[in-house]
Amino acid sequence: YKLVATNECVFTFEGSNIEKHGGRIYDLGRFALPGARDMVTWCGKDNLHRGTKDELWTVMHSAAYEDFKPELATCHKVTCAGHSLGGALCDMWTHLANNGVEDSTDTDCWTKLAWW
């Protein structure tokens, strides 16, 4: 969503949707199976939840996100919102966007995340 008068944008992540994208089986694999809850390092940040990181990685490598980045670049201010899984993705996305990537060699992360 973009408020044209102030050039402020709201970027939203949806929560789990058991009716599409593999449903419960997908969520079980991404968030409940052994290893899914491990803490990992990504984008130079330690102690990120593997399941949430893997889901955000999938979003950031999607054609939809690539197509959306130029729109984000036109925003004076970006607010992120999400519910449930969407909230976790928003939290991780804003943490990375606001704090930068500490590992400059991790171009897979930075070039996919950055829109400015």
Side-chain angles (χ1 to χ4, degrees):
Y1 173 79
K2 185 174 189 176
L3 182 60
V4 177
T6 60
N7 216 24
E8 296 177 359
C9 301
V10 177
F11 182 44
T12 61
F13 287 96
E14 71 177 352
S16 297
N17 187 332
I18 63 170
E19 303 302 323
K20 61 181 182 176
H21 307 301
R24 289 183 180 100
I25 301 301
Y26 177 83
D27 280 355
L28 283 172
R30 190 56 68 107
F31 299 102
L33 292 178
R37 296 181 192 166
D38 292 350
M39 303 308 272
V40 297
T41 298
W42 183 52
C43 297
K45 304 290 185 195
D46 295 325
N47 298 316
L48 300 176
H49 183 276
R50 178 184 298 281
T52 307
K53 173 268 200 197
D54 289 348
E55 187 70 16
L56 185 59
W57 186 96
T58 300
V59 169
M60 288 172 40
H61 286 77
S62 70
Y65 185 73
E66 278 300 313
D67 292 344
F68 187 63
K69 287 187 342 180
E71 185 66 30
L72 278 174
T74 68
C75 301
H76 173 69
K77 177 181 176 183
V78 178
T79 300
C80 190
H83 169 71
S84 189
L85 171 60
L89 294 171
C90 183
D91 185 55
M92 189 176 288
W93 183 81
T94 56
H95 175 71
L96 294 172
N98 288 328
N99 295 298
V101 175
E102 294 171 0
D103 181 359
S104 62
T105 65
D106 193 353
T107 56
D108 176 62
C109 172
W110 190 242
T111 58
K112 292 296 183 178
L113 172 72
W115 64 88
W116 53 92

